[in-house]
Amino acid sequence: MTRYMVLADDCWVTAVYGPGDGIGFTTKKEDASTWVTYERAVEAAKIVAARTNGPVAVHSVEEPNYPKSWQ
């Protein structure tokens, strides 16, 4: 299943809590959050770009289909 990650400069985004509420970052790609749709990832990227004033990119990643009991 394709999901989307946000990269800000050299850090991956772990969470976007909303405009003005904070953003989490990590240097480890495996710890980054993913978004279900490209559009949602772009919205998160816009918030990150506005707060960091640095380069921001959306990347696609293939994740397995986890069992519903894990969600």
Side-chain angles (χ1 to χ4, degrees):
M1 170 162 71
T2 302
R3 291 181 64 102
Y4 302 91
M5 306 170 89
V6 177
L7 179 66
D9 199 18
D10 62 347
C11 291
W12 297 95
V13 176
T14 59
V16 176
Y17 301 103
D21 293 331
I23 301 168
F25 295 99
T26 182
T27 57
K28 296 180 181 179
K29 185 177 181 179
E30 61 270 17
D31 292 339
S33 291
T34 60
W35 282 263
V36 176
T37 66
Y38 180 75
E39 292 77 15
R40 287 186 180 185
V42 167
E43 287 303 314
K46 287 179 182 179
I47 293 168
V48 173
R51 300 289 297 295
T52 63
N53 294 319
V56 177
V58 174
H59 292 257
S60 64
V61 61
E62 289 299 317
E63 288 190 352
N65 288 322
Y66 296 108
K68 288 197 183 274
S69 61
W70 289 14
Q71 299 175 356

Short mmCIF file of all heavy atoms in Angstrom, two decimals:
data_model
loop_
_atom_site.label_atom_id
_atom_site.label_comp_id
_atom_site.label_asym_id
_atom_site.label_seq_id
_atom_site.Cartn_x
_atom_site.Cartn_y
_atom_site.Cartn_z
N MET A 1 0.84 -1.16 0.00
CA MET A 1 0.00 0.00 0.00
C MET A 1 0.90 1.24 0.00
O MET A 1 1.81 1.34 0.80
CB MET A 1 -0.90 -0.02 1.23
CG MET A 1 -1.63 1.28 1.44
SD MET A 1 -3.05 1.21 2.52
CE MET A 1 -2.32 0.98 4.10
N THR A 2 0.63 2.16 -0.88
CA THR A 2 1.41 3.39 -0.95
C THR A 2 0.93 4.38 0.09
O THR A 2 -0.26 4.62 0.24
CB THR A 2 1.29 4.04 -2.34
OG1 THR A 2 1.73 3.10 -3.32
CG2 THR A 2 2.13 5.30 -2.44
N ARG A 3 1.89 4.93 0.84
CA ARG A 3 1.63 5.99 1.81
C ARG A 3 2.66 7.08 1.54
O ARG A 3 3.54 6.91 0.70
CB ARG A 3 1.70 5.46 3.23
CG ARG A 3 0.52 4.50 3.51
CD ARG A 3 0.56 3.97 4.90
NE ARG A 3 0.40 5.00 5.91
CZ ARG A 3 -0.72 5.24 6.57
NH1 ARG A 3 -1.81 4.56 6.30
NH2 ARG A 3 -0.77 6.17 7.51
N TYR A 4 2.57 8.18 2.27
CA TYR A 4 3.41 9.34 1.96
C TYR A 4 4.07 9.89 3.22
O TYR A 4 3.45 9.94 4.29
CB TYR A 4 2.56 10.42 1.27
CG TYR A 4 1.95 9.87 0.02
CD1 TYR A 4 0.70 9.28 0.03
CD2 TYR A 4 2.66 9.86 -1.18
CE1 TYR A 4 0.15 8.71 -1.11
CE2 TYR A 4 2.12 9.30 -2.32
CZ TYR A 4 0.87 8.73 -2.28
OH TYR A 4 0.34 8.16 -3.41
N MET A 5 5.34 10.28 3.09
CA MET A 5 6.15 10.82 4.18
C MET A 5 6.58 12.23 3.81
O MET A 5 6.67 12.57 2.64
CB MET A 5 7.38 9.96 4.39
CG MET A 5 7.10 8.50 4.59
SD MET A 5 8.60 7.51 4.55
CE MET A 5 9.04 7.58 6.26
N VAL A 6 6.88 13.01 4.84
CA VAL A 6 7.33 14.39 4.62
C VAL A 6 8.77 14.52 5.12
O VAL A 6 9.08 14.13 6.26
CB VAL A 6 6.42 15.39 5.34
CG1 VAL A 6 6.93 16.82 5.18
CG2 VAL A 6 4.98 15.28 4.81
N LEU A 7 9.63 15.05 4.27
CA LEU A 7 11.04 15.30 4.60
C LEU A 7 11.25 16.80 4.63
O LEU A 7 10.95 17.51 3.67
CB LEU A 7 11.95 14.66 3.55
CG LEU A 7 13.45 14.85 3.75
CD1 LEU A 7 13.92 14.14 5.02
CD2 LEU A 7 14.21 14.33 2.54
N ALA A 8 11.76 17.30 5.75
CA ALA A 8 12.03 18.73 5.91
C ALA A 8 13.53 18.89 6.10
O ALA A 8 14.08 18.49 7.12
CB ALA A 8 11.29 19.28 7.11
N ASP A 9 14.17 19.47 5.08
CA ASP A 9 15.62 19.60 5.07
C ASP A 9 16.22 18.21 5.19
O ASP A 9 16.13 17.44 4.26
CB ASP A 9 16.08 20.57 6.16
CG ASP A 9 17.48 21.09 5.91
OD1 ASP A 9 17.97 20.99 4.76
OD2 ASP A 9 18.09 21.64 6.85
N ASP A 10 16.80 17.84 6.33
CA ASP A 10 17.37 16.50 6.47
C ASP A 10 16.69 15.69 7.57
O ASP A 10 17.22 14.71 8.06
CB ASP A 10 18.88 16.58 6.71
CG ASP A 10 19.23 17.32 8.00
OD1 ASP A 10 18.34 17.98 8.57
OD2 ASP A 10 20.39 17.25 8.42
N CYS A 11 15.48 16.11 7.98
CA CYS A 11 14.73 15.41 9.02
C CYS A 11 13.37 14.98 8.51
O CYS A 11 12.71 15.69 7.76
CB CYS A 11 14.54 16.33 10.23
SG CYS A 11 16.05 16.67 11.13
N TRP A 12 12.95 13.80 8.95
CA TRP A 12 11.63 13.28 8.62
C TRP A 12 10.62 13.76 9.64
O TRP A 12 10.94 13.92 10.82
CB TRP A 12 11.67 11.75 8.60
CG TRP A 12 12.57 11.23 7.55
CD1 TRP A 12 13.88 10.86 7.70
CD2 TRP A 12 12.28 11.06 6.16
NE1 TRP A 12 14.40 10.47 6.49
CE2 TRP A 12 13.44 10.58 5.53
CE3 TRP A 12 11.14 11.27 5.40
CZ2 TRP A 12 13.49 10.30 4.18
CZ3 TRP A 12 11.20 10.97 4.04
CH2 TRP A 12 12.36 10.50 3.45
N VAL A 13 9.41 13.99 9.22
CA VAL A 13 8.36 14.47 10.11
C VAL A 13 7.70 13.28 10.80
O VAL A 13 7.32 12.30 10.15
CB VAL A 13 7.33 15.30 9.31
CG1 VAL A 13 6.17 15.72 10.20
CG2 VAL A 13 8.00 16.52 8.69
N THR A 14 7.58 13.39 12.13
CA THR A 14 6.91 12.33 12.90
C THR A 14 5.47 12.69 13.22
O THR A 14 4.65 11.81 13.43
CB THR A 14 7.65 12.04 14.22
OG1 THR A 14 7.68 13.24 15.00
CG2 THR A 14 9.05 11.54 13.97
N ALA A 15 5.17 13.98 13.26
CA ALA A 15 3.80 14.41 13.56
C ALA A 15 3.64 15.88 13.25
O ALA A 15 4.58 16.66 13.40
CB ALA A 15 3.47 14.15 15.02
N VAL A 16 2.43 16.25 12.84
CA VAL A 16 2.04 17.65 12.69
C VAL A 16 0.77 17.79 13.52
O VAL A 16 -0.24 17.18 13.21
CB VAL A 16 1.80 18.03 11.22
CG1 VAL A 16 1.29 19.45 11.10
CG2 VAL A 16 3.06 17.84 10.40
N TYR A 17 0.86 18.55 14.57
CA TYR A 17 -0.24 18.67 15.52
C TYR A 17 -1.23 19.75 15.16
O TYR A 17 -2.14 20.02 15.90
CB TYR A 17 0.30 18.89 16.92
CG TYR A 17 1.20 17.77 17.36
CD1 TYR A 17 2.58 17.93 17.37
CD2 TYR A 17 0.68 16.54 17.74
CE1 TYR A 17 3.41 16.89 17.76
CE2 TYR A 17 1.49 15.51 18.13
CZ TYR A 17 2.86 15.68 18.15
OH TYR A 17 3.68 14.65 18.52
N GLY A 18 -1.05 20.38 14.02
CA GLY A 18 -1.96 21.44 13.60
C GLY A 18 -1.23 22.77 13.56
O GLY A 18 -0.18 22.92 14.16
N PRO A 19 -1.77 23.71 12.87
CA PRO A 19 -1.12 25.02 12.79
C PRO A 19 -0.91 25.62 14.18
O PRO A 19 -1.84 25.74 14.96
CB PRO A 19 -2.11 25.87 11.97
CG PRO A 19 -2.94 24.87 11.23
CD PRO A 19 -3.02 23.66 12.12
N GLY A 20 0.33 25.89 14.49
CA GLY A 20 0.66 26.51 15.76
C GLY A 20 0.79 25.56 16.94
O GLY A 20 1.12 25.99 18.04
N ASP A 21 0.54 24.27 16.75
CA ASP A 21 0.56 23.32 17.86
C ASP A 21 1.80 22.44 17.92
O ASP A 21 1.93 21.65 18.83
CB ASP A 21 -0.69 22.43 17.82
CG ASP A 21 -1.95 23.22 18.08
OD1 ASP A 21 -1.89 24.22 18.80
OD2 ASP A 21 -3.00 22.82 17.56
N GLY A 22 2.68 22.53 16.97
CA GLY A 22 3.92 21.77 17.03
C GLY A 22 4.10 20.77 15.91
O GLY A 22 3.15 20.34 15.27
N ILE A 23 5.37 20.43 15.70
CA ILE A 23 5.77 19.48 14.67
C ILE A 23 6.86 18.61 15.28
O ILE A 23 7.75 19.11 15.96
CB ILE A 23 6.34 20.20 13.43
CG1 ILE A 23 5.29 21.15 12.85
CG2 ILE A 23 6.81 19.20 12.38
CD1 ILE A 23 5.85 22.11 11.81
N GLY A 24 6.78 17.31 15.05
CA GLY A 24 7.81 16.39 15.51
C GLY A 24 8.73 16.01 14.38
O GLY A 24 8.30 15.90 13.22
N PHE A 25 10.02 15.82 14.69
CA PHE A 25 11.02 15.46 13.67
C PHE A 25 11.88 14.31 14.16
O PHE A 25 12.05 14.10 15.36
CB PHE A 25 11.94 16.65 13.38
CG PHE A 25 11.26 17.83 12.77
CD1 PHE A 25 10.88 18.91 13.55
CD2 PHE A 25 10.99 17.87 11.41
CE1 PHE A 25 10.26 20.02 12.99
CE2 PHE A 25 10.37 18.96 10.84
CZ PHE A 25 10.00 20.03 11.63
N THR A 26 12.47 13.58 13.22
CA THR A 26 13.43 12.53 13.50
C THR A 26 14.42 12.47 12.34
O THR A 26 14.10 12.84 11.22
CB THR A 26 12.75 11.16 13.68
OG1 THR A 26 13.75 10.18 14.01
CG2 THR A 26 12.01 10.71 12.43
N THR A 27 15.61 11.99 12.62
CA THR A 27 16.59 11.78 11.56
C THR A 27 16.49 10.38 10.98
O THR A 27 17.12 10.08 9.97
CB THR A 27 18.03 12.01 12.08
OG1 THR A 27 18.26 11.13 13.19
CG2 THR A 27 18.24 13.45 12.49
N LYS A 28 15.67 9.52 11.59
CA LYS A 28 15.52 8.13 11.14
C LYS A 28 14.26 7.98 10.30
O LYS A 28 13.15 8.18 10.79
CB LYS A 28 15.45 7.19 12.33
CG LYS A 28 16.71 7.18 13.15
CD LYS A 28 16.57 6.24 14.30
CE LYS A 28 17.81 6.24 15.15
NZ LYS A 28 17.66 5.33 16.30
N LYS A 29 14.43 7.60 9.06
CA LYS A 29 13.29 7.43 8.16
C LYS A 29 12.27 6.43 8.71
O LYS A 29 11.06 6.63 8.59
CB LYS A 29 13.78 6.99 6.78
CG LYS A 29 12.69 6.90 5.75
CD LYS A 29 13.25 6.54 4.39
CE LYS A 29 12.15 6.48 3.34
NZ LYS A 29 12.69 6.16 2.02
N GLU A 30 12.76 5.37 9.35
CA GLU A 30 11.85 4.34 9.85
C GLU A 30 10.98 4.84 11.01
O GLU A 30 9.98 4.21 11.36
CB GLU A 30 12.61 3.07 10.26
CG GLU A 30 13.62 3.28 11.37
CD GLU A 30 15.02 3.65 10.90
OE1 GLU A 30 15.20 4.07 9.75
OE2 GLU A 30 15.94 3.53 11.72
N ASP A 31 11.32 5.96 11.62
CA ASP A 31 10.53 6.53 12.71
C ASP A 31 9.53 7.60 12.24
O ASP A 31 8.75 8.12 13.03
CB ASP A 31 11.44 7.14 13.77
CG ASP A 31 12.24 6.10 14.53
OD1 ASP A 31 11.83 4.91 14.53
OD2 ASP A 31 13.28 6.45 15.11
N ALA A 32 9.57 7.92 10.97
CA ALA A 32 8.70 8.97 10.43
C ALA A 32 7.26 8.50 10.34
O ALA A 32 6.97 7.31 10.22
CB ALA A 32 9.18 9.39 9.04
N SER A 33 6.36 9.47 10.41
CA SER A 33 4.94 9.19 10.20
C SER A 33 4.65 9.09 8.71
O SER A 33 5.42 9.59 7.89
CB SER A 33 4.08 10.32 10.78
OG SER A 33 4.15 10.31 12.17
N THR A 34 3.54 8.45 8.39
CA THR A 34 3.10 8.41 7.00
C THR A 34 1.65 8.88 6.95
O THR A 34 0.91 8.79 7.93
CB THR A 34 3.20 6.99 6.41
OG1 THR A 34 2.38 6.10 7.17
CG2 THR A 34 4.63 6.49 6.37
N TRP A 35 1.29 9.38 5.78
CA TRP A 35 -0.08 9.84 5.54
C TRP A 35 -0.70 8.94 4.49
O TRP A 35 -0.02 8.45 3.58
CB TRP A 35 -0.07 11.29 5.07
CG TRP A 35 0.13 12.24 6.20
CD1 TRP A 35 -0.84 12.93 6.88
CD2 TRP A 35 1.37 12.62 6.82
NE1 TRP A 35 -0.28 13.70 7.87
CE2 TRP A 35 1.08 13.53 7.85
CE3 TRP A 35 2.70 12.27 6.60
CZ2 TRP A 35 2.05 14.10 8.66
CZ3 TRP A 35 3.68 12.84 7.41
CH2 TRP A 35 3.34 13.74 8.42
N VAL A 36 -1.99 8.73 4.61
CA VAL A 36 -2.72 7.80 3.74
C VAL A 36 -2.83 8.32 2.31
O VAL A 36 -2.74 7.56 1.36
CB VAL A 36 -4.12 7.52 4.31
CG1 VAL A 36 -4.94 6.64 3.37
CG2 VAL A 36 -4.01 6.87 5.67
N THR A 37 -3.01 9.64 2.16
CA THR A 37 -3.16 10.20 0.82
C THR A 37 -2.09 11.25 0.56
O THR A 37 -1.57 11.88 1.49
CB THR A 37 -4.54 10.87 0.62
OG1 THR A 37 -4.63 12.01 1.48
CG2 THR A 37 -5.67 9.90 0.90
N TYR A 38 -1.81 11.44 -0.70
CA TYR A 38 -0.85 12.47 -1.12
C TYR A 38 -1.33 13.85 -0.68
O TYR A 38 -0.56 14.67 -0.18
CB TYR A 38 -0.67 12.41 -2.64
CG TYR A 38 0.30 13.43 -3.16
CD1 TYR A 38 1.66 13.26 -2.99
CD2 TYR A 38 -0.16 14.56 -3.83
CE1 TYR A 38 2.56 14.22 -3.47
CE2 TYR A 38 0.72 15.51 -4.31
CZ TYR A 38 2.09 15.33 -4.13
OH TYR A 38 2.96 16.27 -4.60
N GLU A 39 -2.62 14.08 -0.81
CA GLU A 39 -3.20 15.39 -0.45
C GLU A 39 -2.99 15.72 1.03
O GLU A 39 -2.66 16.86 1.38
CB GLU A 39 -4.69 15.44 -0.81
CG GLU A 39 -4.97 15.42 -2.30
CD GLU A 39 -4.83 14.04 -2.96
OE1 GLU A 39 -4.80 13.02 -2.24
OE2 GLU A 39 -4.75 14.00 -4.19
N ARG A 40 -3.17 14.74 1.89
CA ARG A 40 -2.95 14.97 3.33
C ARG A 40 -1.48 15.22 3.62
O ARG A 40 -1.14 16.05 4.46
CB ARG A 40 -3.45 13.78 4.14
CG ARG A 40 -4.95 13.72 4.21
CD ARG A 40 -5.40 12.63 5.14
NE ARG A 40 -6.85 12.60 5.19
CZ ARG A 40 -7.52 11.83 6.00
NH1 ARG A 40 -6.89 11.02 6.82
NH2 ARG A 40 -8.83 11.86 5.99
N ALA A 41 -0.60 14.50 2.94
CA ALA A 41 0.83 14.72 3.13
C ALA A 41 1.23 16.11 2.65
O ALA A 41 2.05 16.78 3.29
CB ALA A 41 1.63 13.65 2.39
N VAL A 42 0.65 16.57 1.56
CA VAL A 42 0.93 17.91 1.05
C VAL A 42 0.46 18.96 2.05
O VAL A 42 1.16 19.96 2.29
CB VAL A 42 0.30 18.13 -0.34
CG1 VAL A 42 0.33 19.59 -0.74
CG2 VAL A 42 1.03 17.28 -1.37
N GLU A 43 -0.71 18.77 2.65
CA GLU A 43 -1.19 19.71 3.66
C GLU A 43 -0.23 19.77 4.85
O GLU A 43 0.08 20.85 5.36
CB GLU A 43 -2.60 19.34 4.13
CG GLU A 43 -3.67 19.65 3.11
CD GLU A 43 -3.70 21.11 2.70
OE1 GLU A 43 -3.64 21.98 3.58
OE2 GLU A 43 -3.77 21.38 1.49
N ALA A 44 0.25 18.61 5.29
CA ALA A 44 1.23 18.58 6.37
C ALA A 44 2.52 19.27 5.94
O ALA A 44 3.12 20.04 6.70
CB ALA A 44 1.51 17.13 6.79
N ALA A 45 2.95 19.01 4.71
CA ALA A 45 4.18 19.62 4.20
C ALA A 45 4.06 21.14 4.14
O ALA A 45 5.03 21.87 4.42
CB ALA A 45 4.51 19.05 2.82
N LYS A 46 2.89 21.64 3.79
CA LYS A 46 2.68 23.10 3.75
C LYS A 46 2.85 23.71 5.14
O LYS A 46 3.46 24.77 5.29
CB LYS A 46 1.29 23.42 3.20
CG LYS A 46 1.16 23.20 1.71
CD LYS A 46 -0.27 23.52 1.26
CE LYS A 46 -0.47 23.27 -0.20
NZ LYS A 46 -1.85 23.55 -0.63
N ILE A 47 2.32 23.04 6.15
CA ILE A 47 2.46 23.54 7.52
C ILE A 47 3.93 23.52 7.93
O ILE A 47 4.45 24.49 8.48
CB ILE A 47 1.60 22.70 8.49
CG1 ILE A 47 0.12 22.91 8.19
CG2 ILE A 47 1.92 23.04 9.95
CD1 ILE A 47 -0.80 21.92 8.89
N VAL A 48 4.61 22.43 7.63
CA VAL A 48 6.03 22.31 7.97
C VAL A 48 6.84 23.38 7.25
O VAL A 48 7.69 24.04 7.85
CB VAL A 48 6.56 20.89 7.64
CG1 VAL A 48 8.06 20.80 7.83
CG2 VAL A 48 5.85 19.86 8.50
N ALA A 49 6.58 23.58 5.97
CA ALA A 49 7.33 24.58 5.19
C ALA A 49 7.12 25.98 5.75
O ALA A 49 8.07 26.78 5.84
CB ALA A 49 6.90 24.53 3.72
N ALA A 50 5.91 26.29 6.16
CA ALA A 50 5.62 27.61 6.70
C ALA A 50 6.35 27.84 8.03
O ALA A 50 6.76 28.96 8.33
CB ALA A 50 4.12 27.79 6.89
N ARG A 51 6.52 26.79 8.81
CA ARG A 51 7.16 26.92 10.13
C ARG A 51 8.67 26.85 10.08
O ARG A 51 9.34 27.42 10.92
CB ARG A 51 6.65 25.82 11.06
CG ARG A 51 5.16 25.81 11.31
CD ARG A 51 4.60 26.93 12.14
NE ARG A 51 5.04 27.04 13.51
CZ ARG A 51 4.81 26.17 14.50
NH1 ARG A 51 4.16 25.07 14.26
NH2 ARG A 51 5.22 26.42 15.71
N THR A 52 9.24 26.12 9.08
CA THR A 52 10.69 25.91 9.06
C THR A 52 11.42 26.82 8.07
O THR A 52 12.63 26.98 8.18
CB THR A 52 11.02 24.45 8.71
OG1 THR A 52 10.54 24.16 7.38
CG2 THR A 52 10.42 23.48 9.71
N ASN A 53 10.71 27.35 7.09
CA ASN A 53 11.34 28.16 6.04
C ASN A 53 12.49 27.45 5.35
O ASN A 53 13.45 28.08 4.91
CB ASN A 53 11.82 29.51 6.61
CG ASN A 53 10.67 30.37 7.05
OD1 ASN A 53 9.64 30.44 6.38
ND2 ASN A 53 10.83 31.01 8.19
N GLY A 54 12.40 26.13 5.25
CA GLY A 54 13.42 25.33 4.58
C GLY A 54 12.80 24.44 3.53
O GLY A 54 11.58 24.44 3.35
N PRO A 55 13.63 23.67 2.83
CA PRO A 55 13.10 22.77 1.81
C PRO A 55 12.27 21.64 2.42
O PRO A 55 12.66 21.07 3.44
CB PRO A 55 14.35 22.23 1.11
CG PRO A 55 15.45 22.41 2.09
CD PRO A 55 15.09 23.60 2.94
N VAL A 56 11.14 21.37 1.81
CA VAL A 56 10.24 20.30 2.27
C VAL A 56 9.81 19.50 1.05
O VAL A 56 9.53 20.06 -0.01
CB VAL A 56 9.00 20.89 2.98
CG1 VAL A 56 8.04 19.80 3.38
CG2 VAL A 56 9.43 21.69 4.20
N ALA A 57 9.77 18.17 1.20
CA ALA A 57 9.38 17.30 0.09
C ALA A 57 8.48 16.19 0.60
O ALA A 57 8.58 15.77 1.75
CB ALA A 57 10.62 16.70 -0.57
N VAL A 58 7.61 15.71 -0.27
CA VAL A 58 6.75 14.56 0.03
C VAL A 58 7.31 13.37 -0.72
O VAL A 58 7.60 13.46 -1.92
CB VAL A 58 5.28 14.83 -0.40
CG1 VAL A 58 4.43 13.59 -0.21
CG2 VAL A 58 4.72 16.00 0.39
N HIS A 59 7.49 12.25 -0.01
CA HIS A 59 8.02 11.02 -0.60
C HIS A 59 6.99 9.91 -0.47
O HIS A 59 6.29 9.83 0.54
CB HIS A 59 9.29 10.57 0.14
CG HIS A 59 10.45 11.48 -0.04
ND1 HIS A 59 11.48 11.19 -0.88
CD2 HIS A 59 10.73 12.70 0.49
CE1 HIS A 59 12.36 12.17 -0.85
NE2 HIS A 59 11.93 13.10 -0.03
N SER A 60 6.91 9.05 -1.46
CA SER A 60 6.03 7.89 -1.36
C SER A 60 6.82 6.71 -0.82
O SER A 60 8.03 6.60 -1.02
CB SER A 60 5.41 7.55 -2.72
OG SER A 60 6.41 7.18 -3.63
N VAL A 61 6.13 5.84 -0.11
CA VAL A 61 6.74 4.65 0.46
C VAL A 61 5.72 3.52 0.40
O VAL A 61 4.51 3.75 0.52
CB VAL A 61 7.20 4.91 1.92
CG1 VAL A 61 6.05 5.27 2.81
CG2 VAL A 61 7.97 3.74 2.47
N GLU A 62 6.19 2.33 0.16
CA GLU A 62 5.30 1.16 0.15
C GLU A 62 5.31 0.52 1.53
O GLU A 62 6.36 0.19 2.06
CB GLU A 62 5.75 0.14 -0.90
CG GLU A 62 5.53 0.59 -2.33
CD GLU A 62 4.07 0.84 -2.66
OE1 GLU A 62 3.21 0.03 -2.26
OE2 GLU A 62 3.79 1.86 -3.30
N GLU A 63 4.14 0.40 2.10
CA GLU A 63 3.99 -0.26 3.39
C GLU A 63 3.13 -1.50 3.21
O GLU A 63 2.26 -1.53 2.34
CB GLU A 63 3.34 0.67 4.41
CG GLU A 63 4.25 1.79 4.87
CD GLU A 63 3.66 2.55 6.04
OE1 GLU A 63 2.49 2.33 6.41
OE2 GLU A 63 4.39 3.39 6.58
N PRO A 64 3.34 -2.50 4.06
CA PRO A 64 2.49 -3.70 3.97
C PRO A 64 1.08 -3.39 4.40
O PRO A 64 0.82 -2.41 5.08
CB PRO A 64 3.16 -4.68 4.94
CG PRO A 64 3.97 -3.84 5.85
CD PRO A 64 4.35 -2.60 5.10
N ASN A 65 0.15 -4.24 4.00
CA ASN A 65 -1.23 -4.13 4.47
C ASN A 65 -1.30 -4.80 5.83
O ASN A 65 -1.30 -6.03 5.92
CB ASN A 65 -2.20 -4.79 3.49
CG ASN A 65 -2.35 -3.98 2.23
OD1 ASN A 65 -2.38 -2.75 2.28
ND2 ASN A 65 -2.46 -4.66 1.10
N TYR A 66 -1.32 -4.01 6.88
CA TYR A 66 -1.36 -4.56 8.24
C TYR A 66 -2.76 -5.10 8.54
O TYR A 66 -3.74 -4.57 8.05
CB TYR A 66 -1.01 -3.47 9.25
CG TYR A 66 0.39 -2.95 9.09
CD1 TYR A 66 0.63 -1.67 8.56
CD2 TYR A 66 1.49 -3.71 9.46
CE1 TYR A 66 1.91 -1.20 8.41
CE2 TYR A 66 2.78 -3.23 9.30
CZ TYR A 66 2.98 -1.97 8.78
OH TYR A 66 4.25 -1.50 8.63
N PRO A 67 -2.83 -6.13 9.38
CA PRO A 67 -4.15 -6.65 9.77
C PRO A 67 -4.95 -5.57 10.49
O PRO A 67 -4.38 -4.73 11.20
CB PRO A 67 -3.82 -7.80 10.72
CG PRO A 67 -2.39 -8.12 10.50
CD PRO A 67 -1.74 -6.89 9.96
N LYS A 68 -6.25 -5.58 10.35
CA LYS A 68 -7.11 -4.58 10.98
C LYS A 68 -6.94 -4.56 12.50
O LYS A 68 -7.11 -3.54 13.14
CB LYS A 68 -8.56 -4.80 10.61
CG LYS A 68 -8.84 -4.43 9.17
CD LYS A 68 -10.32 -4.26 8.93
CE LYS A 68 -10.60 -3.98 7.48
NZ LYS A 68 -10.50 -2.60 7.15
N SER A 69 -6.58 -5.70 13.09
CA SER A 69 -6.41 -5.76 14.54
C SER A 69 -5.22 -4.91 15.00
O SER A 69 -5.11 -4.56 16.16
CB SER A 69 -6.20 -7.20 15.00
OG SER A 69 -5.04 -7.73 14.40
N TRP A 70 -4.30 -4.53 14.09
CA TRP A 70 -3.13 -3.70 14.43
C TRP A 70 -3.46 -2.23 14.33
O TRP A 70 -2.70 -1.39 14.78
CB TRP A 70 -1.98 -4.01 13.52
CG TRP A 70 -1.35 -5.35 13.74
CD1 TRP A 70 -1.86 -6.39 14.47
CD2 TRP A 70 -0.13 -5.80 13.21
NE1 TRP A 70 -1.02 -7.46 14.42
CE2 TRP A 70 0.06 -7.13 13.65
CE3 TRP A 70 0.82 -5.23 12.40
CZ2 TRP A 70 1.17 -7.85 13.32
CZ3 TRP A 70 1.95 -5.98 12.07
CH2 TRP A 70 2.12 -7.28 12.53
N GLN A 71 -4.54 -1.88 13.70
CA GLN A 71 -4.84 -0.47 13.44
C GLN A 71 -5.63 0.15 14.56
O GLN A 71 -6.32 -0.41 15.30
CB GLN A 71 -5.59 -0.32 12.12
CG GLN A 71 -4.76 -0.82 10.98
CD GLN A 71 -5.51 -0.81 9.65
OE1 GLN A 71 -6.69 -0.48 9.60
NE2 GLN A 71 -4.84 -1.16 8.59
#
